Amino acid sequence: MSNPKYSIIIPVFNRPDEMREMLESLQNQTIKPFEIVLVEDGSTQKSDFLVDQFNLEINYYYKPNTGPGDSRNFGMGKAKGNYFLFFDSDCVLPEDYFKNLDMVIDLTNPDAFGGPDTAHSSFSNVQKAINYAMTSFFTTGGIRGGKKQLDKYQPRSFNMGLKREVYEAVGGFSDIHPGEDPDLSFRIIKAGYKVSLIREAVVFHKRRIDFGKFMKQVYKFGVVRVILNRWYPDTRKLVYFLPTFFLVGVLGLVLWSVKISVYGLVPLLVYTALIFIDALRNNSLSVALLAVPASLIQLLAYGFGFLKSQFQLNLLGKAERMAFPSFFFDKK
């Protein structure tokens, strides 16, 4: 394939098993107008042995560990397609993904785009519960990949695409992680390009496999949101403060129950009951039960990260890289 329509760019770090599943889903596509640029980001558990196991055009590259954003930039420098597509290595595509994408792209011709993510029936109960926590009305307002949006749609790199010319005009991903994808989306929107949500282009996204890893992830999301608000002041929204208000409220209710009356916990119990009932509508009893701690983790960890970042950056006035050096990769 000399001039593919799409170049699929996937950074991978020590996830050969997940990469195999991703490639299997690409092998099963009903149409294949793509090449695959697989960028191994300094892994010790490499995925190179997978290349010859699939009847796909896979271009494999190994490079030092500089983070997913820089690895995607590296991949774009090697890609031949007219569109650059990005997926996380822990995603799986339904077999009609490219059929649906092609139909909408040819009809609407967006400059950049993204699609929603959801849980596959084969995912673990914890993964399904985490998916609920990340998409529920009771935790995020249902805005992630849905019809409701806080502002102009901002594609995320687990399921994101853009024209080659957009990359050439605005550049690639920055060295922050997480947060490199909304940063790029903000720059694309600011440059005046047409950005679209393609609801038909759904991916199955595993996210984190346990609550501990999920807690670390959403904590980082909270920290990064304050950094992005500093970089792009016009993107500040009151809703981003809500998890911090929730955190403070929960602490207040717990203190009230200890010092004054146990009935202080009633509002929290009502809220968790609503989560359980809502999750039970489309999930098993086990997933609904797990959705309660997953939702609390999502809100409390994000709220703590947001509060900590506000304190470090806006109260103490520290620079981002000084306050949170581990959130920035050094390019090698």
Side-chain angles (χ1 to χ4, degrees), residues 108-125:
T108 63
N109 191 32
D111 298 310
F113 51 88
D117 60 336
T118 188
H120 190 270
S121 59
S122 66
F123 289 2
S124 72
N125 287 343

Side-chain angles (χ1 to χ4, degrees), residues 70 76 79 107 110 128 133 180 184 189 201 248-249 254 276 319 321:
D70 191 53
M76 284 188 281
L107 183 65
K128 292 175 182 176
E180 71 277 9
L184 177 56
I189 294 169
V248 174
V254 171
F276 171 76
R321 295 170 189 272

Side-chain angles (χ1 to χ4, degrees), residues 240-305:
Y240 295 137
F241 290 80
L242 294 182
T244 297
F245 296 156
F246 180 82
L247 170 64
V248 174
V250 168
L251 292 176
L253 290 174
V254 171
L255 184 62
W256 179 281
S257 68
V258 172
K259 296 291 186 179
I260 300 177
S261 171
V262 70
Y263 291 109
L265 291 177
V266 169
L268 183 59
L269 294 175
V270 170
Y271 178 71
T272 56
L274 290 173
I275 290 174
F276 171 76
I277 293 170
D278 183 60
L280 190 59
R281 291 188 304 163
N282 298 307
N283 296 283
S284 67
L285 176 62
S286 297
V287 172
L289 289 170
L290 290 169
V292 173
S295 298
L296 294 178
I297 288 170
Q298 196 271 340
L299 290 167
L300 295 175
Y302 185 103
F304 177 70

